[in-house]
Amino acid sequence: METLKYKVIKTKEQYNNYCNELIQMLESEKPEQYEDEIDLLTVLIEAYDNEHSTLPDYDPVEMLQSLMADHKMKARDLAELLNVSKGYVSEILHYKKGMSKEVIRKLAERFAMRQEAFNRPYKLISDYPVMPEEQEAVME
């Protein structure tokens, strides 16, 4: 009888191994050759995430910045991946604009994460109250 290559995730070590394998497949030159394995690993990882709540309470922008550093990506690389302008990426990274649904979907796919990791509320600069002296300077 043939043994299964992937099984239901039962340990944190197995979870980490599967996440690493998934990332390697997604970053390969031809990820389409691993399509079935990517789909299966994604289902197994998401099931474990749902059961064990593995997503820490990160600020989505901080998490994105950390992922960019881990993957040695610059803002221009991210803009190219997301098919958006460098200015838009800069505004996201500097808390001036929120992430669109399409951006969240692409980030989750690229970094083999659940969309919920990026789809969390966070404060934008425009959400912070304006200090009275700043408001006066604007009105002058």
Side-chain angles (χ1 to χ4, degrees):
M1 187 166 167
E2 185 180 334
T3 57
L4 298 173
K5 184 172 181 177
Y6 301 107
K7 300 176 183 177
V8 173
I9 302 172
K10 295 183 179 165
T11 67
K12 186 70 173 171
E13 180 182 1
Q14 183 184 13
Y15 172 84
N16 290 333
N17 289 339
Y18 283 13
C19 287
N20 289 333
E21 283 187 49
L22 180 59
I23 289 169
Q24 287 176 350
M25 288 178 203
L26 290 169
E27 291 179 346
S28 70
E29 288 186 24
K30 294 189 177 187
E32 59 276 358
Q33 72 187 17
Y34 301 107
E35 188 175 349
D36 289 338
E37 288 178 279
I38 288 170
D39 290 345
L40 179 57
L41 283 173
T42 301
V43 168
L44 293 172
I45 290 167
E46 285 180 351
Y48 187 88
D49 282 339
N50 290 334
E51 204 172 302
H52 295 90
S53 197
T54 59
L55 288 176
D57 263 347
Y58 285 127
D59 172 292
V61 176
E62 287 178 10
M63 185 175 59
L64 176 57
Q65 291 167 340
S66 175
L67 288 165
M68 288 172 66
D70 290 347
H71 292 267
K72 295 174 179 45
M73 294 177 77
K74 297 187 185 287
R76 71 172 175 263
D77 301 321
L78 196 58
E80 194 174 300
L81 168 77
L82 300 173
N83 197 27
V84 297
S85 71
K86 288 183 267 185
Y88 180 62
V89 169
S90 176
E91 289 177 324
I92 289 172
L93 295 174
H94 290 96
Y95 293 90
K96 292 180 181 177
K97 284 209 174 166
M99 296 180 206
S100 70
K101 290 178 183 179
E102 184 67 13
V103 164
I104 289 170
R105 186 188 64 72
K106 287 178 180 179
L107 289 173
E109 185 177 304
R110 167 61 177 88
F111 295 112
M113 300 177 75
R114 293 174 38 205
Q115 291 183 18
E116 290 84 2
F118 296 102
N119 193 16
R120 294 177 179 205
Y122 59 93
K123 286 250 185 217
L124 297 176
I125 288 177
S126 62
D127 292 343
Y128 293 101
V130 176
M131 301 302 288
E133 59 272 8
E134 290 175 339
Q135 192 167 13
E136 288 174 18
V138 171
M139 295 186 139
E140 292 176 359

